[in-house]
């Protein structure tokens, strides 16, 4: 559903509808929920990456004043289920397979008592061999983590971010620590590479990165013992998926589980029910409400960070700068449970540029670490770092402007992605053209480094519904079932206002739970605005139709002669003939034999998505003596289709760019050779601080999506994709040194400069 400009409300910046609640501390998070009789849960986490549990002595813990129950795996209704993912994990039984796996849950009347109970537990382990890196796990002599084959998940709650079903299976199905091995190819890449006039090659490594949200995981499970009905108050991105999975794991009907999504203090792909099955199972076991809130170290230890990767890539090209071959191998460390990112990573790696010959081999590896999970554009920062660094090197070899090289090869609508599906409507060339005219790129001079990188994301889509009610007070209430993690409700307000001709102040978004809210997909994959805004528009349009029909009778006018604006219905050409929409709604629902309440329903089921592409330009200085990199200016150019609410769109771009700086210069979860996490607090895991972030300029490219509501595209994922690569290219421009690993901390940069200097001397 596309509406032509000009718009009265859409496309104009408007503040967050819940901003005042958040800045004044009145927003309610899952950790704020307190119910009568509620017990506080505290987890005892495994101290080993791999060990047999030989004894759990709960006697001392049960003697702690306030401790009500100490639960092990055998005490839960999930006792006979084999976990197949972090989302299906409750408590470990017999064996632990990663440092941080939940082993025991202590329930007490206070958090302090629960913590004392955990401290009093006696848990004995027999350590077992534990390959904790992909290299160790791929060693033929390494013990196989799942000798009978890796458990298969019945569902993947994070699939909204990175679902790609393509590629040729390469596995021989012999038991190993490789859970998936695929090839994505077209043409004859090896032959094209062998005959290429210019070849560049490199191996790029990225670390494990945590999503870095402000609010750790939290959930409260309430129980109605008679009906066995569970209500979950939770910090989640996808309430319907969590409901279905909890019901499946506990053997309940979906009608026996209600998920109430609370305000989310950041998710970025990580909040899809990690604690919910355990809290629900515990509430069933003891017949009382249970609250579990992770502290920061627990969150680092037992959640689902982005995977580490090693990407070896070779590019072949003509001397004129036309890509002829892309050959790559990706090794992805997915932790203890399967989490397939190879498909989306290959889709992007082989799809940013038009290239007739592509071969990408993906090896997804299991290790004794927490399962990897989605993090904003999962897999994209890793492959973009490798590909865009290589493209930059190719430009230098060819003595071409790096932006010109990208323009010569940029994929366009209809070109194949890495999985050989055609790109839907996309705007890579448009963002590159905008970058070419930007002063930071056009006027770059020596003295500092300026780097450029592109990035993109296919963006998701899912069916959705919405309901629009016009009440007698004149307030328009729009009911949705989506979770607002990024300000989307502040755009939905504008959509409804635009369609109904009412001021945005007259529109209220009512976000329902799984019992009261219309269905919507999870808030991931940059799909909510694209999917739900269309349903909101359709619902508002239907409410508008009903209002005009009722008003036509009341005003004794033809519908075609009516105009709906400023919250009232007017007869064109007759200034005195006006009715507020609240009065129309009152008459409609009070009139015997009349039309009834004004309620519009809207549904959408998009058939084609609308990718979002970016070009980021960053200027840095580098201290050659210390390796310290200081970003000075940052320009984020993005094809947003049409910005429903530019303030929210720019906020998403700013946030994604800062996270890209985190990927590039700061963040890494580090494990030792025994699988012990060395960076389990914010003292050790370094996030970018305000002083580390330069001014960020956003440039919105408006390339309307053919099927997006009002031409909008998803905007959440693309901003994180290019940051690390742009920084690497800026460092290369400033120092001559190419960096092959993330994060590019001081020592890494210093060593690369020293190595480059030694090459120059030779």
């Amino acid at each position: 559903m596309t509406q032509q400009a000009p718009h009265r409300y859409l496309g104009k910046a408007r503040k967050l509808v819940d901003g005042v609640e958040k800045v004044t501390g009145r927003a309610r998070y899952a950790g704020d929920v307190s119910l009568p009789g509620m017990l506080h849960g505290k987890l005892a986490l495994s101290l080993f990456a791999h060990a047999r549990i030989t004894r759990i002595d709960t006697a001392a813990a049960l003697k702690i004043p306030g401790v009500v129950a100490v639960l092990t795996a055998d005490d839960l209704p999930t006792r006979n289920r084999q976990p197949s993912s972090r989302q299906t994990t409750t408590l470990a039984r017999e064996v632990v397979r990663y440092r941080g796996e939940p082993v025991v849950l202590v329930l007490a009347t206070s958090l302090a008592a629960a913590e004392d109970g955990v401290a009093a537990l006696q848990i004995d382990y027999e350590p077992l061999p534990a390959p904790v890196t992909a290299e160790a796990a791929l060693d033929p002599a390494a013990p196989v983590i799942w000798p009978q084959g890796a458990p298969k998940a019945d569902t993947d709650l994070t699939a909204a971010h990175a679902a790609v079903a393509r590629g040729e299976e390469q596995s021989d199905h012999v038991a190993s620590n490789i859970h998936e091995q695929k090839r994505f190819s077209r043409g004859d890449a090896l032959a094209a590479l062998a005959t290429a006039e210019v070849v560049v090659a490199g191996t790029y490594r990225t670390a494990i990165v945590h999503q870095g949200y402000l609010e750790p995981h939290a959930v409260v499970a309430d129980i109605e013992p008679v009906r066995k009905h569970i209500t979950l108050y939770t910090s989640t991105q996808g309430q319907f998926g969590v409901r279905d999975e909890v019901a499946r794991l506990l053997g309940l009907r979906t009608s026996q589980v209600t998920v109430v999504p609370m305000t989310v203090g950041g998710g970025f792909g990580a909040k899809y029910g990690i604690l919910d099955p355990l809290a629900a199972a515990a509430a069933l076991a003891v017949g009382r409400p249970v609250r579990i809130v992770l502290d920061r170290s627990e969150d680092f230890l037992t959640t689902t960070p982005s995977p580490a990767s090693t990407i070896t890539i070779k590019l072949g090209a003509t001397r004129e700068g036309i890509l002829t071959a892309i050959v790559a191998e990706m090794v992805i460390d997915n932790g203890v449970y399967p989490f397939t990112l190879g498909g989306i990573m290959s889709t992007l790696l082989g799809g940013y540029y038009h290239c007739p010959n592509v071969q990408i081999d993906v090896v997804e590896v299991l290790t004794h670490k927490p399962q990897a999970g989605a993090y904003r554009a999962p897999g994209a920062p890793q492959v973009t770092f490798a590909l865009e660094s290589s493209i930059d090197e190719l430009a230098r070899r060819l003595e071409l402007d790096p932006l010109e090289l990208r323009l010569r090869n940029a994929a366009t609508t209809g070109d194949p992605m890495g999985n050989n599906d055609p790109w839907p409507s996309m705007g890579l060339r448009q963002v590159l053209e905008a970058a070419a005219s930007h002063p930071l790129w056009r006027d770059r001079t020596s003295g500092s480094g300026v780097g450029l990188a592109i990035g993109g994301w296919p963006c998701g889509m899912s069916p959705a519904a919405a309901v629009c009610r016009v009440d007698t007070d004149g307030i328009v209430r729009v009911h949705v079932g989506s979770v607002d993690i990024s300000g989307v409700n502040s755009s939905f307000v504008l959509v409804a206002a635009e369609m109904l001709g009412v001021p945005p102040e007259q529109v209220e978004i009512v976000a329902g739970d799984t019992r009261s809210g219309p269905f919507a997909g999870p808030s991931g994959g940059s799909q909510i605005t694209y999917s739900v805004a269309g349903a909101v528009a359709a619902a508002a349009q239907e409410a508008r139709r009903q209002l005009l029909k009722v008003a036509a009778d009341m005003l004794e006018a033809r519908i075609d002669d009516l105009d709906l604006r400023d919250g009232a219905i007017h007869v064109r050409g007759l200034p005195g003939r006006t009715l507020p929409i609240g009065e129309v709604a009152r008459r409609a629902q009070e009139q015997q034999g009349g039309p009834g309440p004004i309620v519009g329903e809207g549904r959408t089921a998009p058939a084609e998505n609308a990718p979002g592409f970016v070009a980021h330009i960053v200027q840095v200085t580098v201290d050659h003596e210390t390796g310290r990199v200081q970003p000075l200016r940052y320009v984020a150019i993005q094809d947003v289709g049409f910005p429903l609410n530019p303030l929210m769109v720019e906020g998403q771009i700013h946030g994604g760019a800062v996270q890209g700086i985190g990927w590039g210069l700061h963040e890494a979860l580090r494990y030792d050779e025994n699988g012990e996490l060395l960076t389990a607090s914010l003292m050790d895991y370094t996030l970018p601080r305000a002083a580390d972030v330069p001014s960020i300029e956003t440039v919105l490219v408006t390339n309307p999506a053919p099927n997006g509501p009002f031409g909008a595209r998803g905007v959440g994922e693309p901003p994180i994709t290019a940051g690390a690569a742009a920084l690497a290219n800026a460092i290369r421009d400033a120092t001559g040194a190419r960096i092959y690993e993330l994060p590019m901390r001081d020592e890494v940069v210093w060593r690369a400069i020293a190595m480059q200097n030694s090459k120059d001397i030779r």
Side-chain angles (χ1 to χ4, degrees), residues 467-481:
V467 174
C468 180
R469 259 176 44 220
V470 181
D471 288 340
T472 56
D473 58 1
I475 298 298
V476 176
R477 292 180 170 89
V478 179
H479 296 252
V480 297

Side-chain angles (χ1 to χ4, degrees), residues 42-43 216-218 274-275 292-296 298-299 302-303:
K42 193 68 177 177
L43 291 167
H217 284 255
I274 286 177
L275 297 179
I292 304 175
V293 179
L294 298 183
D295 63 30
R296 184 64 61 183
E298 291 168 338
D299 204 284
T302 194
T303 57

Side-chain angles (χ1 to χ4, degrees), residues 599-622:
V599 180
E601 296 182 359
R603 293 174 291 174
T604 55
E608 185 177 80
N609 59 7
F613 273 83
V614 305
H616 286 194
I617 311 168
V618 61
Q619 181 184 32
V620 304
T621 59
V622 182

Side-chain angles (χ1 to χ4, degrees), residues 418-638:
N419 67 346
N420 294 327
D421 285 347
W423 278 111
S425 166
M426 50 99 85
L428 175 53
R429 293 192 66 87
Q430 288 91 325
V431 298
L432 281 169
E433 288 164 356
S437 62
H438 194 281
L440 183 57
W441 183 258
R442 190 186 61 227
D443 303 332
R444 61 194 187 281
T445 59
S446 60
S448 63
V450 177
L452 168 80
I454 62 144
W457 187 252
C459 295
M461 57 185 178
S462 61
V467 174
C468 180
R469 259 176 44 220
V470 181
D471 288 340
T472 56
D473 58 1
I475 298 298
V476 176
R477 292 180 170 89
V478 179
H479 296 252
V480 297
S482 51
V483 179
D484 184 1
I485 62 170
S486 59
V488 291
N489 286 354
S490 304
S491 296
F492 295 160
V493 162
L494 301 183
V495 170
E498 189 75 40
M499 300 305 294
L500 278 166
V502 301
E505 294 81 9
Q506 248 178 275
V507 179
E508 177 185 335
I509 302 297
V510 181
D513 57 37
T514 54
R515 299 184 84 177
S516 63
F519 178 81
S523 296
S526 297
Q527 67 172 315
I528 287 298
T529 296
Y530 190 79
S531 299
V532 180
V536 171
Q541 183 67 34
E542 172 58 19
R544 177 190 180 93
R545 185 193 67 79
Q546 294 174 26
L547 283 169
L548 292 175
K549 183 176 181 181
V550 174
D553 291 336
M554 295 173 65
L555 293 167
E556 298 180 340
R558 296 172 61 248
I559 290 177
D560 292 344
D561 292 331
L562 300 181
D563 188 20
L564 208 170
R565 66 179 187 276
D566 301 325
I569 298 174
H570 309 263
V571 179
R572 293 189 185 95
L574 298 173
R577 302 281 295 280
T578 299
L579 283 173
I581 62 170
E583 175 62 20
V584 177
R586 185 190 65 77
R587 183 79 63 88
Q589 71 183 45
E590 289 181 356
Q591 182 182 348
Q592 297 295 325
I598 304 295
V599 180
E601 296 182 359
R603 293 174 291 174
T604 55
E608 185 177 80
N609 59 7
F613 273 83
V614 305
H616 286 194
I617 311 168
V618 61
Q619 181 184 32
V620 304
T621 59
V622 182
D623 186 328
H624 288 232
E625 299 300 319
T626 65
R628 174 62 55 89
V629 178
Q630 180 64 50
L632 301 177
R633 291 181 63 190
Y634 200 114
V635 178
I637 303 165
Q638 183 164 333

